[in-house]
């Protein structure tokens, strides 16, 4: 009958689609979980594939049986078929076989759980604190005393332990090519570890529904060679290029101090800035809580060396002049619903910025980068 | 509440006269007939199916291309929240309830359920609860916290407005309806069986209803408590989920999934029951391994309680807990597999007729297996860390929910339609319906596996161009519209068949269970003679008694005929009279719930209505004392 | 086997499969369901035990002697119900009424204690909004209180019918059901008294005396 | 099949279903870890609860008095400083006893149709089981991480 053939075709297509999908792990798929670059995602992928192929076998058995049955046992005449009520032996068989399959799947799975979830030695790992905010990521390097936002820099071949927290609602910390996700939960500190085998830029993504901007809450992970990483650390501790008095950038700086600095810090390269930033971030949060509707202050990404970042707007847009201007002009044109748009007084009072002022701020922000711009090599791509 | 059946009847004064007529709107409002109630359940939840479907289609339209901006993020969040909630609580559960209502008394040989008025109460509470929840669309604040409403995102601190309050209150009201129905069916199935109908002679659908009812009765109170706590937080300022006071968001997740996982078996077990009725009928063979199927259903129902944390593999429960829940989750594959293989064995060696109902049932096995297998890949918790909250999960649960529950429900509709209405549905349109739905379904949801593995998170209203997700999403959207088209064919089929009225005999499919031994549609008293049951599939063996001696080949024609109702003296058969009180209680409950949002005055009015309804109900005699006839 | 000639009373009381009463079965199933209801609340309470970030803490608020008295009253009311049912079945109407009235009064006394307790707590700043302890404590006890109140209404309704002569030994089942419900509410209180009062009042301010209650 | 049969075949007077070893056959006493104790306690239980059929008011009074006494012990226990460290297990135990007394005798589960007990006990088992599990999970959140 037609319908059966169509179902047959469709089952095949589904199967093909899946296997096809498994094979095509091209760079156009920046969040593919098959294009792995570290041991954790590797274990996860292998476990998945292992289970998947077992599932495919079961699938073929079941669907094959369906197809066989539907062709073989069509009604041909009015005779009643043999009335079989059951067969204990058969039934026990097909209780035991799945049980065996389950055991086969379970063994590597349990090993996988402990392998991926037990933290490695802290001695030879770097520890990072990742904090989820509505709707951006804060990254802190407690041992290096560095803070950054929406862009995580890591050395290659080094274990990374991430302490994962959230300030407001649930978020999830996920870098598909490096490691599966772990949720960011207020009042709980979760942990995740992974290692990146190859330098490169990886996509990170908030995976737990966290409100209106959830779709736009992303970040980038930049994995350096060991040398490049030291370079970057160094850069994060040096002041940005000096700007000449009276230039657009200088005007922009003044405007930034007047309009933006209540929420954004951009001088965390300074000594002892780390604790100051942590405190002020906390105070901003408290400030927002006092008057959630109208507060002019909210926790906001640290903008130190913003010019060296790859993206603007939490990993959404490439970090270039047009996009920064667009963002400052109206964040909603890139990401609808941000706290910046809803609370910054430049949008909600008559302190509107002129086009020129916006351009000056953009230029200033983009000029914020250390002399030894470790990002230069990545900016090319 | 109990009714006082003492010699002198105490009654409160009636404001409205007790409805007595047997037609018209008043009859439908006051009916306590399980068949009418089933029909109303069916119609209302089918309406919500279309609403939920339209919400889904809007989602699909928005996602059809990268960086689409047809739908705003606010609306999108409302759409998927209400889509999920609608489909789970207003579609699959009540559609199953429609089948319970229609079939359970017929299958066990009873005149009605154990508590007809309680049954009416379930219906009305469900209807008004569903309206209550959807009123939020008109106040402009539809719920937007996802169908599992994780706090803190759903707390008043982060989600001001009434949307999520509507959601929790709606769920609580619906919970009352479900629990009442569950209790009713437990008692009905235990106590109302016809003579000789032992538990192990009950049809599998009845068995699955029984297990489902137990699950409902145990699981819904948990959701109720979660709802009360959430309402407390949102309306009265308690601190259960307020993280600033030490409240723990993980705690909500535990209770929600403590309810939520049994809930998914509440959704699928009735479907499995339906399929277990259809397959043997059209294969003309008994169900293979009845005992195994029944017990595996019970085991699924039991084990379903101990797996809930598989929805929480990524919240940091730690490897010990993850190991435990990985293992318990995987174990469920075993009893489920038993069912699958037993169904296949039922078909094996049968004489299969491909009616629409049969096609849907076979489609169910095929699609549910896919969904179940992807469920097992989820259970592998390390790799689930990559899949959790991605479209891979969306694919999994649509395969089990749509490919499972909805397919079986459509199969059931085609199968029992003649019994419900007395006329046949058009089979050719039916087969067309099946084919298009099958194509559309796979086109819609198969690519989602790939999307998820390619890193597409769920609940995002848009995605960037360079992610490589466009083609699959477009396919999914096309598939979504194909599904809608197939549903449209079903609706057209209903109307066409209604006009052409190809009348159905009492037993059009040569089926097996008791409901087919009476005329179609059944008379309101169901059975003229309460049947005496001697076997599983009693009707089948009444028709083919020689099968009991094990000589199938000679059998050509049925030996028993459908019950003749032409000369029944109906005055001898007493059925309960109509009652308005369930309706009042149902309205009252919803008004009271609405009042929690808007004003205490409404709460008071609602509660008065409930109170009055209860008193009236419990003092109202089942039958008016003076002798009167239908 | 044929029912053709027989008048079939299809009401809420035919049982043809197990010989047990529909209503009583319903009641037991409902109680099973209520187990989950209270179970979740008690689970909440225990999970949040010692997790409050601010006071008032249990040992500042809970007054064990007073609650012991009200507990005792509720416990004895259970005896009352069981006796009322017993005498009703034996058609000893006087005694049945006497015990029923006593039960209602005891229930009211219990509710009185609860009202007193709640107002007292509110007075010293322990409200559902105050902290986690308040939220978990009040929801559980007030929902228990709601059950008791409903039970009282139900018993009053039955008492009224007893006086009217509608409730006799024939339909003693109606009182028995109310009794089952009442006992259930009583056993819930038994648990609540042990967990919410006795155990909790023994908790110290610094969270976590016992390993399984310590924060993580 | 015969292995299965052996495994599940019941011969021996133990309360589990493991076939006897040769040694055990020779000496049946070895089979029972608690020896006669279980049997005796069962007899005792039957003895004190043998209200078969209908119970009399005196009987209810007795139960009520036991309940009252237990409550007094509970409150006393709470008051004694030296017993505090056992407060939690003691309270759990006492409330369990009271619970069982009320359910079994006041609510007649002990005398009534088995069906009621089955329903209620099933619910209790699932409830107690999952909420204990839940409490363990919340207490040990993140264990092993
Ligand atoms: C009808 C509803 C239904 C059903 C029946 C199931 C059945 C199963 N589900 Fe599913 N599930 C959902 C509805 C359902 N689920 C929903 C709605 C969600 C998402 C909620 C949300 O987040 O919004 C979800 C999510 C979900 C998750 C969480 C994913 C995540 O968020 O990370 C997991 C993880 O373990 C899971 C597992 C399973 C398993 C193992 C089964 C098993 O019961 C399946 C068993 C069946 C088979 C295995 C196939 C047949 C068996 C054989 C042919 C035998 C041989 C097979 C083997 C030996 C493997 N489900
Ligand atoms: C039984 C349950 C069920 C069913 C049947 C469906 C059916 C469908 N679902 Fe559903 N879905 C869920 C349960 C279900 N879903 C749940 C629980 C979620 C999670 C929500 C959350 O994350 O909180 C979800 C989430 C979900 C998402 C993810 C959203 C996101 O995460 O961002 C998507 C996306 O494509 C989707 C799509 C669809 C589609 C296209 C259908 C289609 O099958 C719909 C078919 C279309 C119709 C039924 C239309 C009806 C007919 C007509 C329109 C004809 C015209 C009518 C007349 C002339 C009267 N669903
Ligand atoms: Cu943050 Cu989603
Ligand atoms: Cu689940």
């Amino acid at each position: 009958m037609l319908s059966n053939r169509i179902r047959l075709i469709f089952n095949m297509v589904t199967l093909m689609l899946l296997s096809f999908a498994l094979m095509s792990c091209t760079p156009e798929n920046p969040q593919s979980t098959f294009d792995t670059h570290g041991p954790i995602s590797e274990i996860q992928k292998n476990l998945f594939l292992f289970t998947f192929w077992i599932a495919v076998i079961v699938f073929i058995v079941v669907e094959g049986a369906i197809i066989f049955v539907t062709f073989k046992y069509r009604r041909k005449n009015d005779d009643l078929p043999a009335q079989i009520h059951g067969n204990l032996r058969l039934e026990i068989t097909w209780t035991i076989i799945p049980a065996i399959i389950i055991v086969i799947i379970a063994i590597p799975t349990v090993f996988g759980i402990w392998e991926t979830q037990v933290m490695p030695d802290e001695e030879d790992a770097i520890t990072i604190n990742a904090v989820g905010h509505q709707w951006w990521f804060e990254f802190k390097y407690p041992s290096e005393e560095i803070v950054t936002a929406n862009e995580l820099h890591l050395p290659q071949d080094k274990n990374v332990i991430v302490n994962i927290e959230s300030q407001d609602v649930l978020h999830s910390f996920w870098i598909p090519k490096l490691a599966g996700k772990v949720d960011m939960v207020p009042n709980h500190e979760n942990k995740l570890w992974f290692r990146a085998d190859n330098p490169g830029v990886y996509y990170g993504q908030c995976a737990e529904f966290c409100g209106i901007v959830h779709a736009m809450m992303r970040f980038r992970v930049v994995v350096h060679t060991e040398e490049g990483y030291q370079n970057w650390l160094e850069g994060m501790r040096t002041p940005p290029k000096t700007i000449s008095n009276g230039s657009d950038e200088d005007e922009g700086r003044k405007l930034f101090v007047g309009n933006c600095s209540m929420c954004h810090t951009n001088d965390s390269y300074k000594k002892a800035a780390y604790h100051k930033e942590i405190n002020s971030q906390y105070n901003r949060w408290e400030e927002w809580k006092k008057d959630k509707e109208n507060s002019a202050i909210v926790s906001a990404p640290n903008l130190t060396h913003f010019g060296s970042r790859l993206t603007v707007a939490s990993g959404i847009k490439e970090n270039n002049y047009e996009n920064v201007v667009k963002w400052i002009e109206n964040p909603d044109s890139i990401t609808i619903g941000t706290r910046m748009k809803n609370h910054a007084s430049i949008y909600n009072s008559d302190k509107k910025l002129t086009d020129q002022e916006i351009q000056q701020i953009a230029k200033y922000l983009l000029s914020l980068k250390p002399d030894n711009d470790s990002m230069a090599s990545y900016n090319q791509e | 509440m109990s009714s006082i059946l003492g010699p002198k009847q105490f009654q409160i004064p009636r404001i409205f006269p007790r409805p007595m007529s047997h037609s018209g709107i008043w009859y439908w409002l006051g009916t306590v007939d399980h068949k009418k109630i089933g029909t109303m359940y069916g119609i209302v939840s089918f309406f919500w199916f279309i609403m939920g479907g339209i919400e889904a289609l809007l989602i699909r339209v928005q996602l059809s291309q990268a960086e689409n901006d047809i739908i705003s993020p606010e609306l999108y969040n409302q759409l998927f929240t209400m889509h999920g909630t609608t489909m789970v609580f207003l579609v699959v559960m009540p559609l199953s309830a429609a089948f319970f209502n229609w079939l359970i008394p017929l299958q066990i040989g009873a005149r009605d359920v154990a508590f007809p008025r309680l049954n009416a109460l379930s219906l009305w509470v469900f209807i008004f609860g569903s309206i209550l929840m959807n009123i939020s669309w008109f106040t402009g604040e539809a719920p937007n916290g996802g169908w599992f409403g994780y706090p803190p995102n759903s707390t008043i601190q982060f989600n001001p407005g009434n949307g999520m309050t509507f959601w929790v209150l709606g769920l609580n009201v619906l919970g009352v309806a479900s629990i009442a129905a569950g209790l009713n069916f437990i008692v009905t199935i235990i106590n109302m069986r016809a003579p000789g109908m032992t538990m192990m002679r009950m049809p599998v659908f009845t068995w699955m209803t029984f297990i489902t009812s137990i699950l409902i009765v145990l699981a819904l109170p948990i959701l109720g408590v979660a709802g009360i706590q959430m309402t407390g937080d949102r309306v009265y300022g308690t601190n259960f989920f307020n993280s600033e006071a030490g409240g723990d968001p993980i705690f909500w997740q535990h209770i929600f999934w403590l309810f939520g996982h049994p809930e998914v078996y509440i959704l699928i077990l009735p479907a499995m029951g339906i399929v277990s009725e259809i397959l043997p009928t059209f294969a003309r063979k008994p169900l293979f391994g009845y005992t195994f199927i029944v017990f595996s259903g019970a085991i699924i129902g039991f084990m379903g309680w101990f797996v809930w944390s598989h929805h929480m593999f990524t919240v940091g429960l730690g490897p010990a807990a993850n190991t435990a829940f990985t293992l318990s989750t995987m174990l469920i594959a075993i009893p489920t597999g038993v069912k699958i293989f037993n169904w296949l064995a039922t078909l094996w060696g049968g004489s299969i007729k491909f009616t629409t109902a049969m096609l849907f049932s076979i489609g169910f096995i095929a699609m549910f297996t896919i969904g179940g297998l992807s469920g097992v890949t989820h259970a592998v918790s390390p790799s689930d860390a990559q899949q959790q909250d991605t479209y891979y999960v969306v694919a999994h649960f649509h395969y089990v929910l749509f490919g499972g529950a909805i397919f079986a429900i459509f199969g059931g509709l085609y199968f029992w339609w003649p019994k419900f209405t007395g006329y046949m549905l058009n089979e050719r349109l039916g087969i067309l319906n099946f084919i298009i739905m099958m194509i559309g379904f796979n086109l819609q949801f198969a690519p989602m596996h790939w999307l998820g593995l390619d890193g597409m998170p769920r609940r995002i209203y848009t995605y960037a161009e360079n992610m490589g997700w466009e083609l699959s999403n477009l396919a999914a959207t096309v598939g979504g519209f194909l599904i809608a088209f197939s549903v449209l064919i079903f609706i057209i089929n209903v109307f066409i068949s209604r006009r052409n009225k190809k009348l159905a005999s009492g037993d059009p499919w040569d089926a097996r269970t008791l409901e087919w031994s009476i005329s179609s549609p059944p008379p309101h008293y169901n059975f003229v003679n309460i049947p005496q049951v001697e076997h599983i599939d009693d009707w089948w063996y009444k028709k083919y008694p020689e099968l009991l001696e094990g000589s199938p080949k000679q059998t050509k024609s049925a030996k028993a005929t459908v019950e003749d109702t032409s000369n029944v003296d109906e005055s001898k058969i007493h059925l309960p009279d109509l009652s308005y009180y369930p309706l009042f209680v149902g309205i009252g409950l919803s008004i009271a719930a609405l009042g929690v949002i808007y004003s205490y005055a409404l709460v008071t009015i609602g509660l008065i209505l409930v109170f009055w309804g209860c008193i009236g109900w419990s003092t109202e005699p089942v039958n008016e004392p003076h002798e009167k006839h239908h | 086997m044929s029912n053709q000639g027989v008048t079939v009373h299809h009401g809420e009381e035919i049982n043809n499969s197990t010989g047990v009463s529909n209503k009583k079965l319903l009641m037991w199933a409902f109680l099973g369901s209520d187990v989950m209801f209270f179970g979740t609340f008690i689970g909440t309470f225990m999970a949040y035990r010692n997790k409050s970030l601010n006071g008032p803490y249990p040992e500042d608020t809970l007054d064990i002697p007073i609650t012991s008295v009200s507990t005792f009253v509720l416990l004895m009311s259970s005896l009352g119900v069981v006796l009322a049912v017993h005498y009703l079945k034996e058609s000893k109407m006087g005694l049945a009424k006497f015990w029923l009235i006593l039960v209602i009064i005891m229930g009211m006394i219990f509710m009185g204690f609860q009202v007193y307790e709640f107002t007292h707590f509110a007075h010293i700043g322990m409200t559902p909004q105050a902290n986690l302890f308040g939220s978990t404590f009040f929801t559980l006890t007030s929902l228990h209180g709601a059950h008791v109140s409903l039970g009282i209404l139900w018993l009053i309704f039955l008492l009224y019918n007893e006086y009217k002569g509608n409730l006799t030994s024939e339909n003693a089942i109606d009182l028995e059901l109310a009794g089952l419900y009442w006992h259930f509410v009583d056993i819930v209180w038994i648990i609540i008294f042990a967990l919410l009062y006795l155990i909790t009042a023994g908790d110290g301010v610094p969270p976590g005396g016992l390993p399984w209650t310590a924060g993580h | 099949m015969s292995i299965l049969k052996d495994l599940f075949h019941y011969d021996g007077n133990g309360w589990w279903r493991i076939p006897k070893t040769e040694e055990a056959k020779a000496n049946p006493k070895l089979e029972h870890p608690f020896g006669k104790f279980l049997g005796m306690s069962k007899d005792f239980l039957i003895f004190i609860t043998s209200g078969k059929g209908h119970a009399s008011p005196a009987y209810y009074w007795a139960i009520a008095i036991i309940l009252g006494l237990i409550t007094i012990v509970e409150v006393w226990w709470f008051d004694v400083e030296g017993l505090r460290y056992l407060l939690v297990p003691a309270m759990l135990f006492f409330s369990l006893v009271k619970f069982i007394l009320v359910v079994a005798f006041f609510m007649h589960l002990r005398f009534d149709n088995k069906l009621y007990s089955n329903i209620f006990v099933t619910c209790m088992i699932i409830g107690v089981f999952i909420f204990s599990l839940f409490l363990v999970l919340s207490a040990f959140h993140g264990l092993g991480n």
Side-chain angles (χ1 to χ4, degrees), chain D residues 11-78:
Chain D
D11 79 341
N13 54 5
W15 36 271
W16 61 78
R17 295 173 168 234
I18 292 179
K20 284 184 182 178
T21 58
E22 287 309 311
E23 190 191 357
K25 264 183 196 153
N27 182 4
K29 283 256 170 64
L30 266 186
E31 268 239 309
H32 217 305
F34 302 113
K36 270 198 218 136
F37 178 73
L38 260 183
M40 274 164 55
S41 38
K42 199 174 128 215
D43 291 346
F44 180 68
L45 260 175
I46 292 175
F47 173 71
I48 60 160
T49 59
S50 60
K52 277 275 174 224
H54 274 288
S56 66
Y59 186 80
Y60 295 132
W61 277 100
I63 301 289
I65 290 171
I66 298 176
L67 288 173
L69 286 178
I70 296 179
T71 311
I72 293 174
V73 173
E74 278 182 330
V75 178
W76 168 77
W77 194 296
F78 170 80

Side-chain angles (χ1 to χ4, degrees), chain A residues 54 58 62 97-99 101-102 105, chain B residues 147-148 257 261 264-265 267-268 310-311 313 329-330 332-334 336-338 340-341 368-369 371-373 375-376 378-380 384 387-389 393 396-397 400-401 405 458-459:
Chain A
I54 291 181
V58 176
V62 172
I97 290 179
I101 299 178
I102 291 300
I105 299 176
Chain B
W147 89 276
F148 37 73
W257 293 118
H261 194 83
V264 308
Y265 292 116
L267 301 176
I268 202 66
H310 66 213
H311 296 274
F313 280 148
T329 304
M330 284 180 175
I332 295 207
I334 300 171
T336 321
V338 168
I340 301 270
F341 295 124
F368 178 76
T369 302
L373 291 173
V376 172
H378 275 312
V380 178
D384 186 58
Q387 296 148 10
Q388 199 263 341
D389 265 322
V393 182
H396 158 67
F397 68 70
V400 281
L401 281 169
R458 57 197 279 210
R459 300 171 163 183

Side-chain angles (χ1 to χ4, degrees), chain B residues 6 129 209 365 504 528 584 608 615:
Chain B
T209 306
I365 305 180
V528 182
F584 293 141
I608 290 175
I615 296 285

Side-chain angles (χ1 to χ4, degrees), chain A residues 115-173:
Chain A
E115 250 173 295
T116 51
Q117 292 187 19
V118 177
M119 294 301 123
D121 225 358
E122 282 194 30
E123 302 289 281
D124 47 33
I126 57 173
T127 302
I128 285 165
N129 297 347
V131 187
H133 296 264
Q134 273 183 328
W135 288 271
W136 56 280
F137 289 90
E138 180 183 8
F139 299 116
K140 300 186 271 198
Y141 296 67
S143 54
E144 310 290 345
E145 306 220 322
I146 285 177
V147 197
T148 178
N150 295 334
E151 199 167 287
L152 183 59
H153 290 255
L154 297 172
Q156 172 193 2
D157 291 332
K158 179 109 181 162
N159 291 344
V160 185
I161 297 177
V162 194
N163 294 323
I164 291 177
E165 338 159 19
S166 164
Q167 191 180 53
D168 36 45
V169 304
L170 300 175
H171 302 275
S172 193
F173 178 88

Side-chain angles (χ1 to χ4, degrees), chain A residues 267-292:
Chain A
D267 56 357
S268 296
Y269 55 84
K270 289 178 181 161
K271 278 235 149 50
Y274 181 70
H275 298 285
K276 187 177 144 244
E277 168 68 359
I278 289 176
N279 277 338
S280 45
Q281 203 63 270
Y282 177 75
N283 291 336
R284 286 179 198 133
W285 168 243
E286 291 294 316
E287 202 59 41
W288 176 74
K289 276 199 305 199
K290 273 186 216 149
D291 184 0
K292 291 175 182 144

Side-chain angles (χ1 to χ4, degrees), chain B residues 161-439:
Chain B
N162 289 331
M164 290 309 279
T165 318
F166 270 110
W167 181 78
V168 276
L169 289 170
L171 286 189
N172 273 8
V173 172
L174 292 170
V176 172
S178 303
I179 294 174
L183 293 171
N184 207 341
F185 284 107
I186 290 178
V187 178
T188 306
I189 292 172
I190 293 182
N191 248 7
M192 307 289 289
R193 282 166 288 139
M197 172 74 82
T198 61
M199 291 300 266
M200 293 314 280
R201 285 180 193 162
M202 292 191 323
V204 177
F205 179 73
T206 307
W207 255 110
M208 293 305 127
T209 306
F210 184 54
I211 297 167
T212 308
S213 303
I214 296 178
L215 289 182
I216 287 178
V217 160
L218 294 180
L220 268 298
I222 306 180
L223 180 69
V225 173
I228 290 174
Q229 294 172 342
M230 178 80 96
T231 312
D233 271 17
R234 293 188 61 88
V235 183
Y236 305 109
T238 55
N239 300 308
F240 292 102
F241 309 113
N242 176 3
S243 43
E244 279 149 35
D248 190 349
I250 304 288
F251 170 70
W252 167 274
Q253 303 192 4
H254 276 304
I255 33 180
F256 187 86
W257 293 118
L258 211 46
F259 148 78
H261 194 83
E263 167 73 15
V264 308
Y265 292 116
I266 293 172
L267 301 176
I268 202 66
L269 288 176
M272 292 176 161
I274 291 175
V275 170
S276 308
E277 299 295 316
I278 297 176
L279 292 173
T281 299
F282 293 111
R284 304 190 91 196
K285 264 182 77 204
L287 189 65
F288 194 91
Y290 171 87
T291 329
F292 260 62
I293 292 212
V294 166
F295 277 113
S296 58
I299 290 172
I300 292 174
F302 182 72
M303 293 197 340
W305 288 100
F306 305 101
V307 301
W308 78 88
S309 285
H310 66 213
H311 296 274
M312 302 164 62
F313 280 148
T314 60
V315 299
L317 295 179
N322 282 356
T323 306
F325 283 97
T326 292
L327 297 179
S328 65
T329 304
M330 284 180 175
L331 285 181
I332 295 207
I334 300 171
T336 321
V338 168
K339 290 197 159 201
I340 301 270
F341 295 124
N342 274 328
W343 287 324
L344 288 176
T346 307
L347 296 179
W348 200 279
S351 165
I352 302 173
K353 184 169 178 202
F354 291 100
T355 58
T356 313
M358 188 62 164
L359 288 175
F360 271 111
S361 303
I362 296 177
F364 166 92
I365 305 180
M367 296 300 111
F368 178 76
T369 302
I370 300 179
L373 291 173
S374 64
V376 172
T377 60
H378 275 312
V380 178
S381 64
S383 60
D384 186 58
Q386 290 281 21
Q387 296 148 10
Q388 199 263 341
D389 265 322
T390 67
Y391 265 79
Y392 193 82
V393 182
V394 178
H396 158 67
F397 68 70
H398 282 98
Y399 264 86
V400 281
L401 281 169
F402 197 108
I406 299 282
F407 265 49
I409 284 171
F410 268 91
L413 283 177
Y414 277 97
F415 186 55
W416 278 294
W417 198 269
K419 183 55 56 187
F420 295 166
T421 61
Y423 58 86
M424 311 289 288
L425 281 178
N426 185 321
E427 276 292 306
R428 294 177 67 175
L429 278 177
I431 288 174
L432 190 67
N433 174 358
F434 169 74
I435 294 173
I436 294 181
M437 191 177 272
M438 193 68 170
I439 297 174

Side-chain angles (χ1 to χ4, degrees), chain B residues 558-573:
Chain B
K559 300 268 179 349
T561 47
V562 170
E563 251 180 298
D564 181 15
T565 55
S566 50
N567 49 12
V568 175
D569 178 7
E570 294 199 358
S571 66
K572 292 276 166 58
I573 301 174

